[in-house]
């Protein structure tokens, strides 16, 4: 909008022409027709009418006399008006017509004859109107675009002031609801992250238990070898049996705990993937 309305732009050039027309035709212009809000196309129509009116003033008196003389001859020959083809019934009618033709041919009384000053004024007016018409024609596309943009801005402002406010409140309400949902999911994510850390810690503990089980198994095998070497020693046999029972219990407990931890980790991973 500001680019189109720049001082040297087409919109301001057209506005300047309209103001110039106001000043030049201040005594005759119809301000209800031509004003600051008039569409440029209507101003072009007005200028065309003015040019046409002033162009008729620029006809030379000699040309007017020749036309009137020819009309007079046609009336005498046909006994009718050459303009409207109405027949002359009485001699008074033909005499009145001829008298009127003589008046129009007399430069001192004829309204068709214009003085040289009048002709100069008409030519000056035509030159001005032609110049203004050219300026408007060259810049009317910018004025049309400017008018369209101004209308769109007004429409947008009206929308924001009316129905737009209701739509804006609805969007704000939806945004607030989504923010609340996001906060809930963020809280759930934090809880699941904490649980995952716990499971990870338990898994590490299970791993250490598994390693411990391996150590127990290795010790059991050594004890079995010792028992075979000293099978006749009751004390050594009883010790071996106790160690084997303890190792078997620890092994079963380790298996149970590891399976439980694996199941918990799987459940937590599924929950986290759904967040």
């Amino acid at each position: 909008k500001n680019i189109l309305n720049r001082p040297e732009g087409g919109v301001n050039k057209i506005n300047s022409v309209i103001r110039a027309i106001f000043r030049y035709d201040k005594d005759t212009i119809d301000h209800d027709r031509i004003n600051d809000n008039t569409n440029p196309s209507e101003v072009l129509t007005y200028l065309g009418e003015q040019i046409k009116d002033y162009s008729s003033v620029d006809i030379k008196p000699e040309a007017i006399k020749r036309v009137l003389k020819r009309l007079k001859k046609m009336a005498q020959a046909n006994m009718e008006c050459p303009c409207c083809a109405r027949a002359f019934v009485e001699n008074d009618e033909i005499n009145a017509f001829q008298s009127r033709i003589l008046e129009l041919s007399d430069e001192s009384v004829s309204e068709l004859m214009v003085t040289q000053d009048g002709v100069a004024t008409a030519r000056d007016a035509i030159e001005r109107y032609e110049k203004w018409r050219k300026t408007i024609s060259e810049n009317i596309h910018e004025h049309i675009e400017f008018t369209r943009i101004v209308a769109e801005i007004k429409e947008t402002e009206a929308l924001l002031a009316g129905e737009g406010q209701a739509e804006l409140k609805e969007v704000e309400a939806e945004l607030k609801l989504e923010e609340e949902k996001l906060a809930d999911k963020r809280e759930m994510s934090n809880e699941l992250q904490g649980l995952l850390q716990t499971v990870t810690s338990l898994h590490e503990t299970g791993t250490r238990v598994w390693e411990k089980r391996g150590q127990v198994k290795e010790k059991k095998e050594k004890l079995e070898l010792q028992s075979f070497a000293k099978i006749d020693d009751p004390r050594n046999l009883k010790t071996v049996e106790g160690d084997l029972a303890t190792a078997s219990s620890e092994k079963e407990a380790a298996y149970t705990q590891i399976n439980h931890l694996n199941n918990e980790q799987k459940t937590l991973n599924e929950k986290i993937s759904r967040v």
Side-chain angles (χ1 to χ4, degrees), residues 52-204:
K52 182 178 179 181
D53 291 343
Y54 277 101
S55 295
S56 63
V57 176
D58 199 17
I59 300 176
K60 295 181 179 181
E62 293 78 8
I64 295 175
K65 289 179 180 179
R66 285 196 299 269
V67 172
L68 292 175
K69 186 177 181 180
R70 184 177 179 183
L71 291 176
K72 183 179 179 181
K73 288 182 178 180
M74 291 173 64
Q76 290 174 339
N78 301 319
M79 290 301 292
E80 64 179 15
C81 175
C83 299
C84 65
R86 184 177 63 86
F88 298 132
V89 179
E90 302 290 339
N91 287 331
D92 292 341
E93 292 179 340
I94 187 62
N95 292 332
F97 178 80
Q98 292 177 344
S99 297
R100 182 57 179 157
I101 293 294
L102 289 174
E103 289 179 0
L104 293 174
S105 302
D106 188 348
E107 295 184 23
S108 62
V109 296
S110 175
E111 58 267 32
L112 297 178
M113 305 295 183
V114 181
T115 62
Q116 290 301 315
D117 291 339
V119 172
T121 301
R123 290 176 179 173
D124 177 69
I126 292 173
E127 183 178 350
R128 288 174 183 267
Y129 292 137
E130 289 284 6
K131 181 179 179 181
W132 291 336
R133 185 164 63 175
K134 180 181 179 182
T135 299
I136 293 178
S137 298
E138 290 176 347
N139 297 280
I140 193 171
H141 62 284
E142 283 194 20
H143 194 282
I144 293 173
E145 181 67 11
F146 176 77
T147 302
R148 182 188 65 79
I149 292 174
V150 170
E152 288 182 356
I153 291 174
K154 289 182 178 179
E155 183 179 352
T156 302
E157 290 175 346
L159 181 63
L160 292 177
E163 297 178 357
Q165 288 294 332
E167 293 181 3
L168 181 61
K169 289 182 179 179
E170 183 178 349
V171 171
E172 289 176 346
E174 292 177 357
L175 177 61
K176 183 178 179 181
L177 180 61
E178 292 299 325
E179 289 176 345
E180 292 174 353
K181 291 181 180 179
L182 179 61
D184 292 340
K185 289 186 177 182
R186 186 180 290 112
E187 183 178 355
M188 182 183 297
S189 175
N190 292 335
E191 292 177 356
L192 292 176
Q193 288 291 344
L195 290 175
L196 180 61
Q197 291 177 358
T198 302
V199 170
T200 301
S201 176
L202 292 174
H203 188 273
E204 292 175 353

